[in-house]
């Protein structure tokens, strides 16, 4: 979709207030580490014009939240990692956070989850995650009403192969286990960032590209106790499910809060063709569930909406579905 067509589609949506008709549960991360990105109102209109139904924000931004009023988009709202310590130890700060970023937009913005922290487990800030979650969750009677969770990377796993042997690492388990119990008590999913690309690019001679790109191939399949895995996305996700079950989280759901493939930047396999294949295969696939949980659709957020020019040089700048001028890097059929 070129820039002229995108602009025309956005203008039409702004005039008619049309609803979003894409695949529910497939969202896109809205990263803002760039100095040439479109204004938030144009970005939200681009989401709707592209049939994207859900959005993840890495941190609260009142201009973006205002642009989301009445959009119908489901919103995952993150806290800044640097705010975790105060959210954990200062209930009044947690209340102020909710009063600033949630309550003024409640009703007009469809909040799905609040995530306290992003990829801080294990690490120095890990101990603040659960107390921060508890403080934010305790405000639900005051009008929050939004499930509170956190985001982890798959580095929390100490074992992931074969998938049935998935288990949290010794470093992560003391922090993750009580979070799993907390989430299970409220029926709230854990958010996990899942990147087959980085597993592939770290060892392209050992990992088949078609297996990483969700292109089923019997030659690349992995067998685990009679279960066959034809793609790495399912294998990683089922390793997380296995780890959750070992930690007492039987039945706990997982939301894939980030996944994607770079279209350039010099990394192994980083190309427009491969990025388009991964994202489109993903959209078609996640509604089917995984071998461990067949038929259970996986709510998934692609990383990211734009190429961001202030991220580190290389592939990190090239995960976007769109260029900053809102022309497509490649097309994703969100109505698939």
């Amino acid at each position: 979709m070129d820039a002229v067509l995108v602009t025309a589609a956005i203008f039409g949506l702004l005039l008619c207030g049309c609803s979003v008709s894409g695949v529910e549960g497939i969202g896109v991360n809205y990263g803002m580490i760039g100095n040439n990105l479109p204004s938030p109102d144009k970005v939200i209109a681009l989401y709707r014009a592209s049939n994207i139904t859900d959005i993840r924000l890495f941190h609260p931004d009142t201009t973006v939240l205002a642009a989301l009023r009445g959009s119908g988009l489901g919103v995952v709202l993150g806290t800044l990692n640097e705010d975790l310590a105060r959210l954990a130890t200062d209930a009044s700060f947690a209340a102020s956070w909710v009063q600033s970023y949630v309550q003024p937009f409640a009703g007009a913005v469809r909040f799905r989850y609040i995530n306290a922290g992003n990829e801080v487990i294990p690490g120095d800030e890990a101990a603040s995650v659960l107390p921060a979650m508890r403080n934010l969750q305790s405000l639900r009677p005051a009008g929050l009403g939004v499930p509170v969770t956190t985001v982890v990377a798959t580095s929390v796993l100490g074992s992931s192969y074969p998938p049935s042997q998935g288990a949290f690492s010794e470093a992560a388990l003391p922090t993750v286990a009580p979070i799993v119990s907390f989430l299970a008590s409220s029926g709230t999913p854990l958010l996990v960032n899942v990147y087959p690309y980085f597993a592939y690019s770290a060892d392209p001679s050992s990992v088949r590209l078609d297996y990483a790109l969700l292109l089923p191939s019997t030659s690349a399949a992995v067998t685990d106790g009679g279960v066959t895995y034809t793609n790495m996305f399912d294998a990683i996700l089922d390793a997380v499910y296995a780890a959750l079950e070992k930690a007492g989280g039987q039945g706990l759901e997982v939301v894939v809060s980030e996944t994607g493939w770079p279209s350039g930047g010099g990394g192994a396999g980083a190309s427009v063709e491969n990025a388009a294949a991964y994202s489109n295969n993903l959209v078609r696939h996640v509604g089917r569930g995984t071998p461990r949980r067949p038929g259970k659709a996986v709510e998934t957020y692609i990383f990211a909406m734009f190429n961001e020019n202030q991220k580190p040089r290389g592939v990190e700048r090239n995960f976007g579905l769109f260029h900053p001028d809102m022309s497509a890097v490649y097309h994703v059929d969100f109505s698939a």
Side-chain angles (χ1 to χ4, degrees):
M1 189 183 295
D2 63 33
V4 173
L5 289 175
V6 167
T7 302
I10 289 171
F11 184 66
L13 274 171
L14 290 172
L15 285 177
C16 74
C18 302
S19 63
V20 179
S21 58
V23 181
E24 182 65 42
I26 300 289
V28 177
N29 288 261
Y30 178 13
M32 292 181 278
I33 306 178
N35 60 10
N36 58 352
L37 299 176
S39 61
D41 59 330
K42 292 180 179 177
V43 173
I44 301 310
L46 180 58
Y47 268 77
R48 299 181 69 213
S50 304
N51 288 322
I52 301 167
T53 65
D54 298 273
I55 184 172
R56 179 182 171 216
L57 305 178
F58 289 92
H59 59 86
D61 183 303
T62 54
T63 304
V64 176
L65 290 167
L68 282 161
R69 290 180 185 272
S71 69
L73 295 175
V75 179
V76 179
L77 179 61
T79 71
L80 290 167
N81 287 344
E82 50 263 42
D83 284 343
L84 279 173
R86 287 192 68 191
L87 288 168
T89 59
D90 186 347
S92 65
F93 178 72
S96 175
W97 193 95
V98 171
Q99 289 164 5
S100 297
Y101 304 123
V102 181
Q103 287 180 338
F105 306 97
V109 173
R110 187 164 64 91
F111 291 108
R112 292 187 59 73
Y113 314 106
I114 290 172
N115 64 272
N118 181 55
E119 295 189 344
V120 299
I121 303 170
D124 294 341
E125 296 168 300
S128 295
V129 174
L130 184 55
M133 291 170 63
R134 284 179 171 146
N135 276 344
L136 290 168
Q137 186 83 359
S138 70
L139 295 164
R140 288 181 67 133
L144 175 55
V146 183
V148 179
T149 182
T150 191
V151 176
V152 298
T154 51
S155 56
V156 296
L157 297 176
S159 174
S160 61
Y161 184 86
S164 62
Q165 296 305 304
F168 293 115
S169 69
E170 291 184 4
L173 185 60
T175 304
V176 172
I179 289 174
V180 168
S181 297
F182 177 83
L183 294 174
S185 68
S186 63
T188 303
L190 177 68
L191 274 55
V192 183
N193 295 340
V194 175
Y195 280 100
Y197 171 73
F198 290 116
Y200 168 78
S201 63
D203 193 5
S205 63
S206 299
V207 179
R208 286 284 299 264
L209 181 61
D210 50 358
Y211 185 66
L213 290 175
L214 289 95
L215 292 167
S217 170
T218 55
S219 62
V222 170
T223 301
D224 178 15
V227 176
T228 299
Y229 288 88
T230 59
N231 67 81
M232 187 182 290
F233 179 87
D234 282 354
I236 294 173
L237 197 50
D238 273 358
V240 174
Y241 285 136
L244 286 170
E245 290 163 11
K246 293 181 178 69
Q250 291 84 354
L252 190 67
E253 292 189 20
V254 168
V255 169
V256 175
S257 40
E258 289 179 38
T259 190
W261 197 282
S263 61
S271 70
V272 172
E273 180 183 14
N274 287 342
Y278 181 80
S279 295
N280 281 284
N281 291 338
L282 181 80
V283 170
R284 289 189 290 264
H285 177 76
V286 292
R288 307 172 190 170
T290 69
R292 198 173 188 92
R293 297 192 182 178
K296 181 65 176 176
V298 181
E299 184 177 345
T300 300
Y301 293 77
I302 295 173
F303 184 86
M305 196 64 171
F306 297 103
N307 287 339
E308 298 167 64
N309 68 351
Q310 292 181 314
K311 299 200 78 171
R313 291 185 182 276
V315 297
E316 290 288 343
R317 293 189 180 185
N318 292 275
F319 274 87
L321 305 184
F322 293 90
H323 297 287
D325 66 0
M326 300 195 298
S327 63
V329 177
Y330 57 89
H331 176 67
V332 179
D333 182 7
F334 284 97
S335 63

